[in-house]
C-alpha cells in the first residue's frame, strides 16, 4: 500500500455523528482505496496526529489528508494545514498532501438537488 487516505471530520460528542465518518471511510474502501483512516480535529478520537501515524505505520509512502468539511474555513485553512505540516516534519520520508474541502464541487450541488427532491416528496 503506497497511498493512504486520512479522512478528517470535525468530531462530535454524539457517537452517531462520528459513526457516519466510519461509514464514509468504508464506502471509500469499497471504491478501491485500500487504507482509509478516520481522524477528528477535536471532540473525538483518534486525533489527526494519531491517524497520520497509523497511516505511516501501515506502510504509506503518501498520505492524503481528506477533509470532510464543506468550506475552506479556519479549520481547513489553518488547523488542517498546520496538522499536515506537523505530520510532514514528524515523518519526513512520507509525502503528506491536503485535499480541498467538499465546497462547491459539482457532485455536492447534485447531492443538494437530490435533498431538495427528497424534501418535496416527503410533504
Amino acid at each position: 500500500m503506497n497511498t493512504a487516505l486520512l479522512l478528517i471530520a470535525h468530531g462530535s460528542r454524539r457517537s452517531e455523528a462520528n459513526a457516519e465518518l466510519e461509514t464514509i471511510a468504508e464506502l471509500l474502501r469499497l471504491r478501491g482505496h485500500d487504507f482509509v483512516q478516520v481522524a477528528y480535529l477535536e471532540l473525538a478520537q483518534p486525533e489527526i496526529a494519531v491517524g497520520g501515524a497509523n497511516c505511516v505505520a501501515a506502510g504509506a509512502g503518501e498520505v492524503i489528508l481528506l477533509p470532510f468539511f464543506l468550506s475552506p474555513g479556519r479549520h481547513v485553512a489553518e488547523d488542517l494545514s498546520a496538522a499536515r505540516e506537523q505530520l510532514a516534519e514528524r515523518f519526513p520520508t512520507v509525502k503528506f498532501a491536503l485535499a480541498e474541502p467538499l465546497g462547491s464541487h459539482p457532485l455536492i450541488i447534485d447531492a443538494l438537488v437530490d435533498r431538495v427532491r427528497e424534501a418535496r416528496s416527503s410533504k
Side-chain angles (χ1 to χ4, degrees), residues 2-8 35 37 48-66 80-99:
N2 189 36
T3 301
L5 301 182
L6 183 58
L7 181 62
I8 304 168
F35 192 87
Q37 168 71 55
I48 296 169
V50 171
N54 290 344
C55 293
V56 174
E62 176 183 36
V63 178
I64 298 173
L65 284 71
L66 186 58
L80 297 188
S81 292
R84 190 210 62 78
E85 290 173 16
Q86 290 165 2
L87 286 166
E89 284 180 23
R90 183 174 170 194
F91 303 103
T93 62
V94 177
K95 177 183 177 187
F96 291 89
L98 176 59

Side-chain angles (χ1 to χ4, degrees), residues 107-121:
L107 294 176
I108 293 295
I109 304 306
D110 291 345
L112 289 170
V113 170
D114 283 348
R115 293 296 191 212
V116 169
R117 275 191 222 116
E118 291 168 1
R120 282 186 173 151
S121 67

Side-chain angles (χ1 to χ4, degrees), residues 5-26 29 36-55 65-69 75-76 79-80 83-84 86-87:
L5 301 182
L6 183 58
L7 181 62
I8 304 168
H10 184 274
S12 174
R13 290 183 182 91
R14 296 187 64 219
S15 61
E16 300 87 6
N18 298 328
E20 184 173 355
L21 195 65
E22 292 287 351
T23 300
I24 301 284
E26 183 58 29
R29 289 182 199 104
V36 182
Q37 168 71 55
V38 301
Y40 300 95
L41 184 62
E42 57 188 19
L43 304 175
Q45 297 295 320
E47 62 185 23
I48 296 169
V50 171
N54 290 344
C55 293
L65 284 71
L66 186 58
F68 195 65
F69 287 79
H75 285 316
V76 173
D79 299 335
L80 297 188
R84 190 210 62 78
Q86 290 165 2
L87 286 166

